[in-house]
Amino acid sequence: MKVQISQTNLTEFSADTLIVNLFDDVKTPSGATGAVDKALDGAISELIANGDATGKAGEVRVLYPRGALPYQRVLVAGLGKRAGFDLLGVRNAAAHAIQAAQQYKAQHVATIVHGAGVGGLDVAAATQATVEGTLLGDHVYEKQLQKPQERHEIEQLTLVESDEQKIAAMEQGTTAAHAVVAGVKLARDLVFGPPNIVTPEHMANVAQQIADEFGLAITIGDRDFMREHKMGALLAVAQAAGFDPRFIVLEHNADKKDLPTIALVGKGITFDTGGLSLKSRDGMILMKCDMGGAAAVMGAMRTVAELDLPLHVVGIMPCTENTVDALGYRPSDIITASNGKTIEIISTDAEGRMALADALVYAQRYDPDVVIDLATLTGAAVTALGSGVAAALFSNDDDLRDRLTSAGNATHERVWPMPLYDEYRKTIESPVADMINSGGAGNGVGTAAVFLEAFTDYTWAHLDIAGMALTNKKHAQAYQKHDATGFGVRLLTAYLQGINA
Ligand code: BES
Ligand code: MN
Ligand code: ZN
């Protein structure tokens, strides 16, 4: 779907479908919807009066102007209550509307920007949310069938606005939305892609494409690279892998070291069987999502590159499977990570922290101002906060914690602060090594976090996104029709944009 902006009067523009909106409990529509109502001789007011339209969030009503306006149909999207209306409401309204337009097999959709008029939201932000909601609401996972499903494609979306003063901000919002949506879509498709296709090598190929397209510096390390860098912890996991592991680094503004340096580190376990500490049959089913952290970093790097953010951003993705092999690592093994710390293996299923340990050590070489890791790390994070609700946030820095929390609230990719208490550190003490790799499921989310902390010597935050990578169908947003969320891309982008704000 192409997106354009047209500075025209709504009643003069022409397309097959027009989207306007309505707040809950409005008797007489005003603004753009009011103008359309007038042109339709009060048809929207009539829908409201007889209860056929209420403006409730999620509602989409259709009207046929029959020549009274240069559109075949008008869709009236409910915005819900005006009080508390925000960008989440905008994204959802846009998503519901485009899904209706899709069912009507619309080709060219004209829309107003939701929330920027009567709603009173910032024009650039409302535009970004309208475009994000539209494009993400129209994004589903493409099934791999012998006969590919025919899916109707809407060709064009035009944002129509008569006020010249708003156009520049709308252009800014549209540009941002394009970059963000491409990153989110990339992450979603990687997360939900099958583990025999989304292998570490595939991840490396995707990174290479991004590097080629946007001129990023790239490093793709194989097993030898990992040996050279003494990445014993990552290699231990990779020891049982069928598909070869890859250590992937993408770098934006590699030559501008005076810019603030932010490293993003993502867990890239392309499939997690648990290894010898084998998962149950059911526990393994969704473990293709275990590279959700790396997917978020990949998507964010693409977005950052397209937006050309004035930051030095390094994306580090340790990618390997965690499968089963006679030569795989085993419980009781003692492994030496790249910073020399020794790890007694309790569970080969606590593999994510092993892969991340060496990646976090590697991040040090960039002398980063901030390092953020994202990982589908523990089932305990899901138990603590629920699935599809919020990621668990751990940080050694109050300011970073606050910034990530704000970015999470602004994007509705929420994070909730958790403690790094000493008790967790005691829980992973080993009688035979510097630490053990698992404190047991009970203390799970905190012990995993303090394990990672042992490999950091910088300002750091850890996001346990185990509950967030896949869409929770029970309470998914309208712009989350895809089976994977792409969680982290919008959050990280908002956080990074905020650094220079
Ligand atoms: N990849 C899993 C965590 C996970 C669980 C992700 C559910 C997504 C949904 C991770 O590698 C794992 O197996 N964690 C163990 C840790 C335990 C062995 C300490 C867990 O949570 O049970
Ligand atoms: Mn595991
Ligand atoms: Zn895992």
Side-chain angles (χ1 to χ4, degrees), residues 235-257:
L235 277 166
V237 181
Q239 214 167 290
F243 292 113
D244 268 338
R246 292 286 182 270
F247 189 86
I248 307 166
V249 185
L250 278 174
E251 202 177 346
H252 169 69
N253 281 330
D255 51 343
K256 298 186 186 148
K257 300 280 188 319

Side-chain angles (χ1 to χ4, degrees), residues 70-383:
Y71 306 95
Q72 253 176 62
R73 65 182 74 82
V74 174
L75 302 177
V76 185
L79 298 180
K81 299 257 185 270
R82 188 174 312 203
F85 184 69
D86 57 7
L87 298 174
L88 174 64
V90 174
R91 279 194 304 278
N92 278 325
H96 281 297
I98 205 69
Q99 285 155 14
Q102 154 79 23
Q103 286 187 348
Y104 288 118
K105 297 212 165 24
Q107 300 282 357
H108 180 188
V109 178
T111 186
I112 59 173
V113 171
H114 304 299
V118 184
L121 298 175
D122 174 72
V123 175
T127 305
Q128 183 176 342
T130 299
V131 177
E132 282 178 1
T134 304
L135 299 182
L136 293 178
D138 195 44
H139 183 220
V140 294
Y141 184 73
E142 209 171 302
K143 295 179 187 174
Q144 316 208 359
L145 308 174
Q146 184 177 24
K147 290 187 188 143
Q149 263 176 342
E150 289 286 331
R151 192 171 180 274
H152 173 70
E153 284 273 346
I154 298 173
E155 277 162 31
Q156 194 175 318
L157 179 80
T158 305
L159 307 171
V160 183
E161 172 58 60
S162 58
D163 183 355
E164 193 196 340
Q165 307 264 301
K166 291 186 176 170
I167 300 295
M170 286 171 62
E171 271 161 5
Q172 197 188 318
T174 304
T175 303
H178 264 126
V180 167
V181 166
V184 173
K185 285 186 172 185
L186 177 67
R188 285 175 170 184
D189 288 338
L190 286 173
V191 168
F192 210 69
N196 63 328
I197 292 175
V198 184
T199 59
E201 196 185 342
H202 179 86
M203 294 290 284
N205 292 340
V206 171
Q208 186 69 59
Q209 280 166 20
I210 296 172
D212 292 346
E213 185 171 352
F214 298 99
L216 302 189
I218 184 167
T219 305
I220 298 174
D222 57 8
R223 276 182 213 272
D224 284 337
F225 173 96
M226 295 170 203
R227 281 187 204 107
E228 265 165 48
H229 288 87
K230 300 190 162 46
M231 295 179 168
L234 173 58
L235 277 166
V237 181
Q239 214 167 290
F243 292 113
D244 268 338
R246 292 286 182 270
F247 189 86
I248 307 166
V249 185
L250 278 174
E251 202 177 346
H252 169 69
N253 281 330
D255 51 343
K256 298 186 186 148
K257 300 280 188 319
D258 48 324
L259 293 172
T261 297
I262 316 293
L264 308 173
V265 180
K267 170 176 172 181
I269 302 297
T270 55
F271 193 68
D272 183 11
T273 68
L276 285 178
S277 312
L278 196 65
K279 287 189 182 295
S280 68
R281 180 183 56 193
D282 290 349
M284 205 182 292
I285 290 174
L286 292 174
M287 281 305 135
K288 67 176 180 182
C289 81
D290 215 17
M291 30 58 74
V297 171
M298 191 85 80
M301 289 309 296
R302 196 200 178 287
T303 303
V304 163
E306 185 171 338
L307 291 176
D308 197 16
L309 293 189
L311 296 165
H312 175 215
V313 187
V314 187
I316 305 176
M317 294 157 274
C319 296
T320 179
E321 306 189 284
N322 184 31
T323 56
V324 191
D325 187 274
L327 290 176
Y329 77 142
R330 49 192 86 62
S332 295
D333 280 0
I334 296 178
I335 305 295
T336 305
S338 45
N339 65 347
K341 285 216 161 85
T342 58
I343 305 161
E344 180 193 359
I345 303 305
I346 300 293
S347 170
T348 61
D349 198 12
E351 85 297 339
R353 65 200 72 180
M354 300 291 289
L356 286 170
D358 284 326
L360 289 168
V361 172
Y362 192 84
Q364 289 171 8
R365 74 181 48 228
Y366 297 96
D367 191 19
D369 295 292
V370 168
V371 178
I372 302 168
D373 78 72
L374 298 92
T376 49
L377 203 62
T378 69
V382 192
T383 306

Side-chain angles (χ1 to χ4, degrees), residues 10-11 18-20 29 32-47 61-76:
L10 260 195
T11 48
L18 171 67
I19 296 168
V20 292
T33 308
V36 170
D37 185 40
K38 211 177 246 170
L40 295 178
D41 204 13
I44 298 177
S45 297
E46 191 178 325
L47 283 187
R61 298 291 180 246
V62 60
L63 285 164
Y64 295 92
R66 308 182 68 189
L69 280 170
Y71 306 95
Q72 253 176 62
R73 65 182 74 82
V74 174
L75 302 177
V76 185

